[in-house]
Amino acid sequence: MTQDFRGALIGCGFFAQHHARAWLELEGVELVAVCDRNKARATAFAQTFGVLSVYDAAETMLEHETLDFVDIATQASTHSELVALAARCGVNVICQKPLAPTLEEARAIVESAQGVTLMVHENFRWQRPMRELKRVAAELGPLFYGRIGFRSAYDVYADQPYLATDPRFILLDVGVHLFDLARFFLGETETLLCHTARVNPNIAGEDVATVLLNMTSGAHAVVELSYASRLEQELFPQTLVQLEGPLGSAVLTADYQIVVTTAQGVRRTDATPHVLPGTPGPLTAIPESVLNVQRHWLECLQRGRMPDTSGADNLKTLELTFGAYRSAEEGEVVRLGKL
Ligand SMILES: NC(=O)c1ccc[n+]([C@@H]2O[C@H](COP(=O)([O-])OP(=O)(O)OC[C@H]3O[C@@H](n4cnc5c(N)ncnc54)[C@H](O)[C@@H]3O)[C@@H](O)[C@H]2O)c1
């Protein structure tokens, strides 16, 4: 009989509830401990999710618990210390995006985790509509164009106030998801050009970014990001995608339909996410994608294989992200691999 993997969650803030719900839902894993430097928050969280052990310091938790992995759901500035600590204890790590606030720090994190398995908790590619789109895109031939868009005026600062004060905002917070999707659908990038803007005067970072990618395959892609777009339909946190190949196009629409147009005609596939019980507000596709990415993590641990969004893989997503910042700052095309 195989034993359950023993996991512990570090960080019991806004997003961690989705991680915890997914761990409880999945088979073959037990959430044995939680940790938050705010002990009261950790205690309340443990009570909500029926977790027995509570800590206010990760060092103490790693000393006292026998763990197969830690799940880090803290903000990016804390990741390097926490990943290195877990790796020193020989404990595998799943870590929230963005992996780090700079590319240099992200590279150092991946280096520090050489002896364990490190996966970045990159959930957008695990949304049901994205999996379905990837499947149907195979019938379009080699893709020559992609558009990946996230445009909203949702008050994201209410649940995540730090996003209003971070000097770098939308490319680092949402851009990482969309660049990961660009890689998922279209492969790697050769050069990019990015423009950013800060429309909301009450925040520190950029809330609008438009990025043109020139892929190594020869395809072009546009990645569009905005938290300043008041539109007829508020779609937060939906991402709309259009892919085109020589044999046709596939468009993921706002009502979660995938419209495939080929010489044979037009076909619609329903890609509505399964909304898990207890899903708050507009988050529709998100909890299911969290469940999917965490299931993938367990399968990788079980089979001893590298996760799709391993630390090393995620460095390519971060090269796009920080390359986009450099392009916006310098007003020039940036060649990837030279950062
Ligand atoms: N994938 C998604 O869709 C998605 C959505 C929201 C947030 N996130 C990511 O999740 C991460 C957390 O975001 P959040 O909004 O939940 O943040 P948060 O600030 O609400 O929660 C972070 C928690 O971590 C705790 N913490 C910080 N440092 C710690 C340490 N060293 N040891 C123990 N606890 C510590 C804090 O006390 C806090 O309770 C961020 O990286 C964010 O980008 C991802």
Side-chain angles (χ1 to χ4, degrees):
M1 204 172 76
T2 54
Q3 278 207 313
D4 284 356
F5 288 114
R6 295 169 59 83
L9 189 53
I10 305 178
C12 301
F14 164 67
F15 203 68
Q17 56 176 312
H18 303 295
H19 293 218
R21 279 208 193 89
W23 293 131
L24 292 181
E25 184 78 19
L26 288 163
E27 285 182 9
V29 63
E30 195 187 346
L31 186 58
V32 296
V34 296
C35 167
D36 196 297
R37 57 183 174 200
N38 179 330
K39 185 74 181 270
R41 192 175 295 160
T43 305
F45 192 94
Q47 274 166 2
T48 303
F49 295 103
V51 181
L52 290 181
S53 299
V54 183
Y55 296 88
D56 60 6
E59 294 87 340
T60 322
M61 183 173 79
L62 281 153
E63 259 169 45
H64 286 82
E65 301 288 337
T66 305
L67 299 172
D68 295 299
F69 70 91
V70 290
D71 174 16
I72 300 175
T74 59
Q75 290 175 37
S77 59
T78 64
H79 292 170
S80 106
E81 191 187 329
L82 291 168
V83 173
L85 173 69
R88 280 199 302 278
C89 298
V91 172
N92 301 307
V93 183
I94 173 169
C95 182
Q96 254 302 340
K97 50 57 63 175
L99 184 58
T102 66
L103 189 55
E104 294 67 33
E105 202 170 314
R107 286 179 175 144
I109 291 176
V110 172
E111 188 62 32
S112 77
Q114 285 295 331
V116 298
T117 302
L118 169 65
M119 180 177 95
V120 176
H121 195 293
E122 179 41 74
N123 56 314
F124 273 36
R125 67 161 70 191
W126 287 98
Q127 291 178 19
R128 180 161 179 254
M130 302 306 169
R131 305 311 281 188
E132 195 58 28
L133 188 57
K134 174 84 176 169
R135 197 181 61 74
V136 301
E139 63 186 86
L140 307 178
L143 299 177
F144 63 83
Y145 174 79
R147 178 158 51 79
I148 304 174
F150 179 103
R151 307 196 77 83
S152 165
Y154 184 78
D155 179 16
V156 72
Y157 317 104
D159 286 326
Q160 297 172 271
Y162 57 89
L163 295 177
T165 53
D166 283 351
R168 287 181 156 178
F169 169 34
I170 203 165
L171 281 166
L172 199 50
D173 186 58
V174 189
V176 288
H177 292 307
L178 269 55
F179 289 132
D180 186 65
L181 283 175
R183 295 183 54 233
F184 181 56
F185 291 123
L186 294 144
E188 303 306 337
T189 297
E190 205 165 280
T191 59
L192 65 78
L193 177 66
C194 173
H195 296 292
T196 61
R198 177 165 58 88
V199 176
N200 182 340
N202 302 317
I203 64 167
E206 82 292 350
D207 53 359
V208 175
T210 309
V211 195
L212 178 61
L213 306 176
N214 181 26
M215 321 304 290
T216 52
S217 67
H220 304 158
V222 181
V223 167
E224 301 180 358
L225 299 148
S226 171
Y227 265 122
S229 300
R230 205 157 293 288
L231 300 166
E232 184 184 11
Q233 262 187 301
E234 173 49 69
L235 294 177
F236 173 86
Q238 261 180 270
T239 305
L240 302 182
V241 184
Q242 175 160 333
L243 301 173
E244 297 180 13
L247 302 177
S249 65
V251 179
L252 173 59
T253 66
D255 56 352
Y256 293 115
Q257 301 299 298
I258 295 174
V259 183
V260 179
T261 306
T262 63
Q264 282 71 49
V266 180
R267 190 179 87 234
R268 281 170 194 273
T269 309
D270 181 47
T272 306
H274 300 126
V275 180
L276 304 188
T279 297
L283 286 189
T284 327
I286 299 297
E288 186 188 28
S289 68
V290 169
L291 187 73
N292 290 342
V293 70
Q294 292 181 195
R295 184 185 291 113
H296 173 64
W297 168 249
L298 295 175
E299 282 168 4
C300 290
L301 286 187
Q302 191 85 55
R303 294 176 191 171
R305 61 160 281 212
M306 200 51 85
D308 291 358
T309 54
S310 67
D313 174 85
N314 193 253
L315 288 180
K316 295 182 196 154
T317 296
L318 291 176
E319 277 178 26
L320 287 171
T321 310
F322 292 107
Y325 278 116
R326 179 177 290 185
S327 171
E329 278 155 19
E330 297 179 355
E332 286 184 1
V333 171
V334 164
R335 185 164 291 277
L336 275 292
K338 302 257 182 216
L339 292 168

